[in-house]
Amino acid sequence: MTNAQILAACRSNWEYRGIDGASLREMLDELSAHLEDAEAAGRTAQDVVGRDVRAFAASWARARAPLSRRAPRTVAMACFVAGWLLLGAYLIRWTTAVDVTAAFLAFWLATGTATVVWELRRGSIGLRKSWLVGFAVGLPAAVLALRLVGDGVLFTLPLWAAPLLLVPGLPYAVADARAARRGRRKTEAPELS
């Protein structure tokens, strides 16, 4: 693997493990420096991260932020994404209630699961390709659920469900956006002087 592939795999692993944006950039900078130092010393990237990049990333994430600290953030961000998807469903259908069918549920669960698993295993392939992989899994899951269960309504979600799902993730999303802006300012500042 190249240094860029290792950094991408670690980044996606850490993102899905709930490492906050500022810590993520700090960890990536540190890993990048270690990889560059190893390359300058004539060693390989495998000497730094070992044979299994995912295991390396996972162990560093556990050391940096234990599961007890990462779990609430991960759950809140999953709810945040689900809230935006649900809000999109309300807007597309221009309604105040969304009927949830087995096919709808199967599609989004399969798409989300496939996207997360792909990112954790292979690293980031970009948003478009990641969603294409998710849809390639989600569409057959939806068709299968439609065939097996039918198109009956399982339950109905009122409009207030979307904001309710968005609320827990808002502080984390705002903190990540601020950390990203600070990170961009730090990288741009040396170029200006």
Side-chain angles (χ1 to χ4, degrees), residues 50-183:
R51 290 186 179 270
D52 190 357
V53 176
R54 288 181 310 231
F56 167 80
S59 67
W60 197 356
R62 281 190 300 272
R64 182 69 178 227
L67 182 62
S68 60
R69 279 193 358 211
R70 290 189 325 244
R73 180 186 191 282
T74 302
V75 169
M77 291 309 286
C79 288
F80 188 73
V81 170
W84 279 111
L85 291 173
L86 190 57
L87 190 59
Y90 291 118
L91 292 173
I92 288 170
R93 296 176 184 172
W94 201 249
T95 183
T96 60
V98 170
D99 294 332
V100 178
T101 63
F104 180 85
L105 202 56
F107 174 79
W108 287 110
L109 286 174
T111 299
T113 302
T115 303
V116 169
V117 167
W118 183 272
E119 293 280 332
L120 286 176
R121 293 215 170 263
R122 302 286 179 212
S124 181
I125 59 172
L127 186 63
R128 287 186 188 136
K129 289 181 183 176
S130 178
W131 278 96
L132 283 174
V133 169
F135 284 128
V137 173
L139 286 176
V143 170
L144 182 64
L146 186 63
R147 298 264 183 191
L148 294 175
V149 180
D151 62 350
V153 175
L154 299 176
F155 54 91
T156 301
L157 286 173
L159 182 60
W160 56 262
L164 189 66
L165 287 170
L166 290 170
V167 167
L170 275 175
Y172 295 109
V174 169
D176 284 352
R178 286 181 178 165
R181 275 195 304 261
R182 280 194 301 268

